[in-house]
Amino acid sequence: MASMDSPSFKLILGSSSSSRKQILSDMGYEFSIMTADIDEKLIRRENPEELVMALAEAKADAITAKLQIDVFREKDEPTLLITADQVVVHGGKIREKPSSRKEAREFIQGYSEGHAATVGSVLVTNLKTRARKGGWDKAEVYFHKIPDDVIEGLVNEGDVLHVAGGLLVEHPLTSPFVEAMVGTLDSVMGLPRALTERLIQEALSSSS
């Protein structure tokens, strides 16, 4: 799948995230899916931007290790692998996926009448040329008071346990309580469209 002004290429999304699948589909791309299956807790950085980039790199390394890379290098049509990661920053602390329902509840309660920032990375690896192009994007979300029954509903449903910081602004239970957003919804959801598109084009045009 490729646009009119770029060469033909194939895409692999290195993520099982439903939000990332949706965004990439909405961008008009067809793609296959592979997952990295890494222990993200083994990779630590104090800086959120450095952490999400390191995790996207580790995911790309893990997926390429599963592939017969020589096959991709010999093909005329390049294959691009997209990996990504995201954390939430709240009160100066990095938040990843909640480890329990209790932690998810505490995370969401903290956002009530407050704000949180999302920091997300995107890494595009050209499996033919081995070129890698990456970057990160940041957005901020400001909340009204989130009622306790809404928080309980989110926690009991369980989707918040599978996203960074338990933050699901696009969820119908959450969205009415979003006061303002600085940045784009796709960035908050885990795959900033403009950055992803730019990195795809950079990875296609780079020879190494």
Side-chain angles (χ1 to χ4, degrees), residues 27-40:
M27 290 172 68
Y29 290 113
E30 296 175 1
F31 51 91
S32 56
I33 292 171
M34 290 189 70
T35 55
D37 304 320
I38 63 170
D39 186 350
E40 298 184 13

Side-chain angles (χ1 to χ4, degrees), residues 150-167:
V150 170
I151 295 173
E152 286 305 311
L154 287 164
V155 172
N156 289 334
E157 184 189 66
D159 287 349
V160 293
L161 295 168
H162 307 294
V163 295
L167 187 64

Side-chain angles (χ1 to χ4, degrees), residues 89-95 111 115-117:
V89 179
H90 179 262
K93 294 182 179 179
I94 295 174
R95 290 180 169 181
Y111 305 142
H115 74 281

Side-chain angles (χ1 to χ4, degrees), residues 3-4 10 15 32 41-42 55 69 71-72 78 86 110 122-123 138 141 147 184:
S3 60
M4 295 286 288
K10 291 183 178 179
S15 172
S32 56
K41 299 295 185 184
L42 295 178
L55 285 165
I69 293 299
V71 173
F72 291 97
Q86 184 183 57
V122 180
L123 181 71
K138 186 175 181 178
V141 186
T184 61

Side-chain angles (χ1 to χ4, degrees), residues 40-55 57-58 87 94 96:
E40 298 184 13
K41 299 295 185 184
L42 295 178
I43 300 171
R44 300 291 85 190
R45 301 287 190 279
E46 290 185 8
N47 178 287
E49 293 82 5
E50 291 178 3
L51 176 60
V52 293
M53 286 306 306
L55 285 165
E57 292 266 4
V87 296
I94 295 174
E96 296 176 85

